[in-house]
Amino acid sequence: MKKKFIALNMLALMSHGALAEDNSVEKESWFGGFVEYYNADNEKFLPAPQFNDGFGLGLEYGIRFSPSWASRIEWSHVNLETKGPKQSIGGDRGGIDVLFFPQQSDYYVFTGLKIEKYDDTQRLVNVGLGRHWKTNSNFKIITEIAAHHDFGEGFNDHSVKVGFSYAFGGEKKATRSAARIEDTDRDGVQDNRDLCPNTPANSRVDNTGCVMAKPVVADSDNDGIPNNKDACANTPSIDKVDSKGCSIFEDKEVRMQLDMKFAHNSSIVNKNDMSQLEAFSTFLTRFPNTKVVIEGHSSSLGDKQYNVWLSKKRAESVKNILVKEYNINSDRIDVVGYGDAKLLDNSGTIKAHKVNRRIMANVTAVERKKITK
C-alpha cells in the first residue's frame, strides 16, 4: 500500500521543474472535478475494522485573485476499504483552502480547513503541493498531494488527487501591457474607427461613430421592445420579458425539511437544533396556507408500545416550541408517533440507534417568482 501511495505522489511532484515559468495569471476562476486516492491513519477507526485506503470523487471551485494568491472550496466523497475480508465505509469531506503560487507560476502550495464525516465528524487542517498543467487557454489538469491532520484525535491522513478543470475570466499580464485603443468621446466606437471623434454625449451613433441621421423608435424601459410594441411600459431593467415587453413569471416549488435527533429515552429538544426550528418556523410563517405533519420515531430498543408513546411525545415537544415560541397556529401542525415501525437503519448498532431516534417533517409550497436576466 505504501509503495502505491509513493508512486502516486511522484505524479504530482513532476511539476517541480517549472517554477521559473512566467505564466502569471490575474483574476481567474476555475471549476474542476477530480479523482482522489486517500490513505487513512491506521488507528482512525479503532476498535472498528481498520479501513486503510480507497478512492473517491470530488469537485472544486477556485478564484485566483492575484498572480500569487488564490482560494477555493472543495468537496469529495471517499470510500475506504479494509485489508482483509472486504468491508467499506463512505464519507464526505468539504472545506476551503488558500493557495500560494511561488514566482507566480502554475505550481502552488496550499493549506486549509476541512470537515470530514464518516461515522463521526472530524475537523482537519491540511497542507499540500500541487500544479495546474495547462492543456490550452481554458482547460487544465490538476495534480496534488496533501497531508491531513485531525485536531481532535491527532490522526494523520494522506491523499493524492488528479483532476481536470475549466478556467474562465482569466487575464494574462501580457494582455494588460498591450497598447490600448481609446474611445475618447465614449460613443462605443474606438478612435481608430471613429469618423466623428467628438460626438456629443448620449448620442446614438452608427458603426462609424457618427450621429444617426434618423432617430430610432424609443425603448423607454430598455427592455429590448420598442415603445410602439411594448404592452408593459416601465418594466424593471433586471426582468426577462416576453415578445410584448411584459415580465415573465414562473411557479417554483419550494420545500423545507426538519430532521432532528434525540438522546436515548428522551423527548427534550437539543439546543443545537433550535436554529433548524427557527428556519422551519420562518418558512411556515412565509407560507401561511401550508400544513405539516411532524413524525416522531424511536430506535428498536425497549418495549414497542412505550416507543410509540415516546416518539409521539418527541413530535409534541417540537410542535409546542413552534406554537409557543414562534406563534405558529397549532391547527396547522399534526403529530404522529411511529415508534420503531420506520427504522432508517436495521443493523441494531449504536450508530443505528442514534440515527433512528429522530423527528422528520417536510413542508412544500409554491412560490411565484419573476425570471431575471
Side-chain angles (χ1 to χ4, degrees):
M1 182 271 293
K2 290 185 177 179
K3 290 182 178 179
K4 179 170 63 175
F5 183 72
I6 293 171
L8 288 170
N9 287 350
M10 294 298 293
L11 179 64
L13 289 171
M14 289 168 57
S15 60
H16 187 70
L19 276 171
E21 289 182 2
D22 184 15
N23 292 321
S24 55
V25 176
E26 296 183 357
K27 299 177 182 177
E28 175 185 86
S29 300
W30 74 90
F31 181 82
F34 58 85
V35 294
E36 180 181 40
Y37 168 77
Y38 198 89
N39 172 247
D41 192 294
N42 289 333
E43 298 180 359
K44 186 165 185 173
F45 295 96
L46 294 178
Q50 183 177 337
F51 298 100
N52 297 281
D53 57 4
F55 292 87
L57 299 173
L59 300 171
E60 69 177 53
Y61 173 75
I63 300 175
R64 189 167 177 177
F65 44 84
S66 78
S68 299
W69 293 96
S71 64
R72 72 178 176 199
I73 54 175
E74 179 189 76
W75 167 86
S76 65
H77 179 82
V78 179
N79 288 310
L80 301 176
E81 295 185 346
T82 57
K83 279 186 175 179
K86 288 299 181 181
Q87 297 185 51
S88 65
I89 185 172
D92 296 292
R93 187 183 73 254
I96 188 168
D97 291 311
V98 176
L99 291 68
F100 173 67
F101 296 79
Q103 299 184 26
Q104 303 177 4
S105 69
D106 291 331
Y107 182 90
Y108 59 91
V109 293
F110 64 94
T111 185
L113 297 173
K114 303 291 170 63
I115 294 179
E116 181 182 75
K117 185 167 184 180
Y118 287 94
D119 281 344
D120 297 315
T121 299
Q122 287 96 30
R123 291 172 174 81
L124 312 174
V125 62
N126 61 273
V127 294
L129 173 68
R131 184 181 177 185
H132 289 169
W133 300 78
K134 295 181 180 178
T135 58
N136 58 33
S137 59
N138 294 104
F139 291 95
K140 299 177 184 179
I141 297 173
I142 304 170
T143 57
E144 282 185 12
I145 59 174
H148 311 265
H149 178 73
D150 173 23
F151 283 115
E153 302 294 337
F155 299 137
N156 293 300
D157 303 341
H158 302 86
S159 66
V160 175
K161 81 177 187 184
V162 178
F164 201 69
S165 71
Y166 176 79
F168 50 93
E171 178 180 294
K172 295 283 188 182
K173 287 185 80 174
T175 303
R176 297 184 65 184
S177 62
R180 216 174 137 192
I181 301 175
E182 297 291 336
D183 176 15
T184 306
D185 55 5
R186 299 183 180 180
D187 60 358
V189 180
Q190 295 175 331
D191 289 352
N192 63 334
R193 296 189 294 109
D194 199 333
L195 301 182
C196 303
N198 298 310
T199 305
N202 301 319
S203 298
R204 289 184 177 271
V205 299
D206 57 23
N207 57 9
T208 66
C210 297
V211 176
M212 291 182 178
K214 294 182 179 179
V216 298
V217 179
D219 177 14
S220 301
D221 54 5
N222 295 314
D223 60 359
I225 308 298
N227 290 351
N228 60 343
K229 296 182 180 180
D230 199 331
C232 300
N234 303 316
T235 305
S237 60
I238 63 171
D239 288 5
K240 281 191 175 182
V241 298
D242 57 21
S243 59
K244 296 181 179 179
C246 298
S247 299
I248 301 174
F249 291 83
E250 67 175 356
D251 290 336
K252 295 188 67 175
E253 185 177 84
V254 290
R255 63 179 62 240
M256 175 65 71
Q257 184 179 55
L258 199 60
D259 185 0
M260 300 163 54
K261 302 297 186 293
F262 285 81
H264 175 65
N265 199 28
S266 173
S267 62
I268 299 174
V269 174
N270 192 319
K271 290 182 179 179
N272 294 333
D273 288 325
M274 292 304 295
S275 60
Q276 189 180 164
L277 275 176
E278 182 177 356
F280 196 76
S281 68
T282 300
F283 187 92
L284 292 176
T285 302
R286 183 181 175 191
F287 299 101
N289 294 324
T290 56
K291 291 188 176 183
V292 63
V293 177
I294 299 176
E295 301 177 1
H297 302 270
S298 73
S299 67
S300 59
L301 297 174
D303 179 75
K304 288 187 176 294
Q305 289 186 347
Y306 177 79
N307 285 342
V308 171
W309 174 84
L310 177 60
S311 62
K312 186 174 181 180
K313 190 174 180 182
R314 287 170 176 166
E316 289 172 344
S317 295
V318 173
K319 176 178 178 177
N320 287 338
I321 293 175
L322 290 171
V323 172
K324 294 179 181 179
E325 296 191 22
Y326 296 105
N327 299 317
I328 305 300
N329 191 322
S330 62
D331 292 339
R332 298 174 59 194
I333 306 173
D334 291 327
V335 298
V336 60
Y338 287 107
D340 57 8
K342 294 187 176 184
L343 299 177
L344 293 178
D345 190 334
N346 293 297
S347 64
T349 63
I350 293 176
K351 178 185 174 183
H353 297 326
K354 290 180 179 180
V355 169
N356 291 324
R357 294 193 297 266
R358 70 195 189 279
I359 283 291
M360 301 291 292
N362 290 281
V363 61
T364 303
V366 175
E367 184 177 36
R368 187 168 174 80
K369 300 184 71 173
K370 285 184 180 181
I371 303 177
T372 57
K373 296 177 181 178

